[in-house]
């Protein structure tokens, strides 16, 4: 399978715990994006990387959230001191990174439930 | 403030007929538009896109129409099939600079009845 993969697919945690999600983009895709989707809403942009550089962060990304893409390949999204409001589907997408108008291809998502 | 709006939460169509999903946007700086389909518990799947320099793009059963003056786009599916039943999201990206994020609507649930 050469699509975007995400791990884990589901995560249940207790409030206050830290969680980390991983995303593996399509091979040779230079841009990687994180989105969050809550019930009844469309995906909302969180952050994106061009290779290993994090170039934009949404105001939705509070200081409890941190994302990395250390070698320009896979990326991790960590949420510290989780809150019930963090419960959502976290989506990763990637694109080639050659032109501005590009299709973003999404992974299956990680569904987070904070109890 | 919802910059991309999908005002119909749901749409029901008979198999074989045309499905028309609508999307309106408020930001005139959007210049690239995409439609995604999403099944429950899966990520969005890309369907079709259109640049603002065009007013129509077609791919098999899917056609997207863009009316820039009305800030409106629509997705036509002909003929509709039961497997098309899913949530459809309209998304847009801004022109210029290094702004690559997509802004999504809330989605329209399409149900195609056999």
């Amino acid at each position: 399978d050469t699509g975007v993969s995400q791990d884990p697919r589901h995560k249940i945690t207790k409030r206050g715990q830290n969680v980390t999600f991983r995303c593996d983009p399509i091979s040779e895709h230079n841009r990687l994006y994180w989105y969050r989707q809550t019930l009844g809403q469309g995906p909302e942009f969180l952050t994106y990387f061009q290779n290993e550089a994090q170039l934009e962060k949404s105001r939705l990304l509070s200081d409890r959230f941190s994302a990395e893409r250390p070698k320009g390949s896979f990326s991790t999204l960590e949420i510290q001191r989780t809150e019930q409001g963090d419960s959502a589907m976290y989506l990763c997408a990637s694109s080639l990174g050659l032109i501005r108008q590009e299709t973003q291809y999404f992974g299956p998502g990680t569904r987070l439930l904070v109890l | 403030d919802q910059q991309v709006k999908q005002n119909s939460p749901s749409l029901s169509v008979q198999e074989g007929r045309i499905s028309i999903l609508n999307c309106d946007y408020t930001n005139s700086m959007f210049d690239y538009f995409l439609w995604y389909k999403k099944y429950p518990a899966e990520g969005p799947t890309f369907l079709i896109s259109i640049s603002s320099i065009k007013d129509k793009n077609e791919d098999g059963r899917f056609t997207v129409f863009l009316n820039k003056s009305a800030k409106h786009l629509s997705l036509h599916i002909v003929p509709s099939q039961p497997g098309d039943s899913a949530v459809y999201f309209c998304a847009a990206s801004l022109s210029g600079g290094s702004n690559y994020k997509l802004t999504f609507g809330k989605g329209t649930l399409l149900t195609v009845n056999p």
Side-chain angles (χ1 to χ4, degrees), chain B residues 1-74:
Chain B
D1 180 31
Q2 197 80 14
Q3 296 188 70
V4 177
K5 300 177 183 179
Q6 294 178 257
N7 292 320
S8 298
S10 62
L11 174 68
S12 184
V13 172
Q14 282 299 118
E15 181 179 4
R17 304 294 292 267
I18 184 171
S19 296
I20 300 176
L21 297 104
N22 294 303
C23 178
D24 297 291
Y25 59 97
T26 58
N27 192 334
S28 58
M29 296 300 289
F30 286 140
D31 72 343
Y32 187 54
F33 304 90
L34 307 91
W35 283 93
Y36 287 86
K37 176 172 73 173
K38 188 179 184 300
Y39 295 116
E42 294 184 12
T45 300
F46 170 72
L47 280 175
I48 192 168
S49 62
I50 187 167
S51 168
S52 60
I53 62 173
K54 297 184 177 181
D55 55 17
K56 177 183 175 181
N57 189 25
E58 191 172 355
D59 184 0
R61 296 186 298 115
F62 302 93
T63 303
V64 56
F65 296 91
L66 175 62
N67 182 334
K68 290 187 292 293
S69 61
K71 294 190 181 69
H72 176 83
L73 62 156
S74 60

Side-chain angles (χ1 to χ4, degrees), chain A residues 8-53:
Chain A
R9 294 290 306 275
H10 305 273
K11 179 70 177 178
I12 300 175
T13 191
K14 293 182 178 180
R15 188 178 55 188
Q17 297 294 304
N18 299 342
V19 294
T20 300
F21 309 140
R22 175 179 171 126
C23 170
D24 287 89
I26 294 171
S27 179
E28 297 180 355
H29 275 195
N30 294 321
R31 291 188 193 136
L32 185 147
Y33 314 79
W34 285 98
Y35 292 82
R36 181 176 71 183
Q37 184 178 18
T38 54
L39 200 60
Q41 303 294 318
E44 295 174 289
F45 171 80
L46 292 178
T47 188
Y48 99 93
F49 293 83
Q50 175 82 36
N51 299 311
E52 66 275 9

Side-chain angles (χ1 to χ4, degrees), chain A residues 9 31 33 35 37 40-43 45 48 50 56 89 91 99-109, chain B residues 31-32 34 36 38 41-44 46 49 51 89 93-102 104-106:
Chain A
R9 294 290 306 275
R31 291 188 193 136
Y33 314 79
Y35 292 82
Q37 184 178 18
Q41 303 294 318
F45 171 80
Y48 99 93
Q50 175 82 36
E56 186 177 353
M89 172 79 87
L91 294 162
I99 60 174
R100 196 182 58 77
Q101 293 182 343
E102 289 185 338
T103 298
Q104 295 180 22
Y105 296 92
F106 283 82
Chain B
D31 72 343
Y32 187 54
L34 307 91
Y36 287 86
K38 188 179 184 300
E42 294 184 12
F46 170 72
S49 62
S51 168
F89 289 99
S93 69
L94 290 167
S95 63
S98 60
N99 191 334
Y100 302 106
K101 70 179 182 184
L102 295 179
F104 284 83
K106 291 187 177 183

Side-chain angles (χ1 to χ4, degrees), chain A residues 40-76:
Chain A
Q41 303 294 318
E44 295 174 289
F45 171 80
L46 292 178
T47 188
Y48 99 93
F49 293 83
Q50 175 82 36
N51 299 311
E52 66 275 9
Q54 187 175 17
L55 296 183
E56 186 177 353
K57 293 195 292 185
S58 163
R59 57 180 173 78
L60 294 175
L61 215 65
S62 75
D63 55 6
R64 296 185 298 105
F65 288 71
S66 63
E68 294 182 344
R69 195 182 182 198
K71 297 183 179 179
S73 57
F74 73 92
S75 175
T76 57

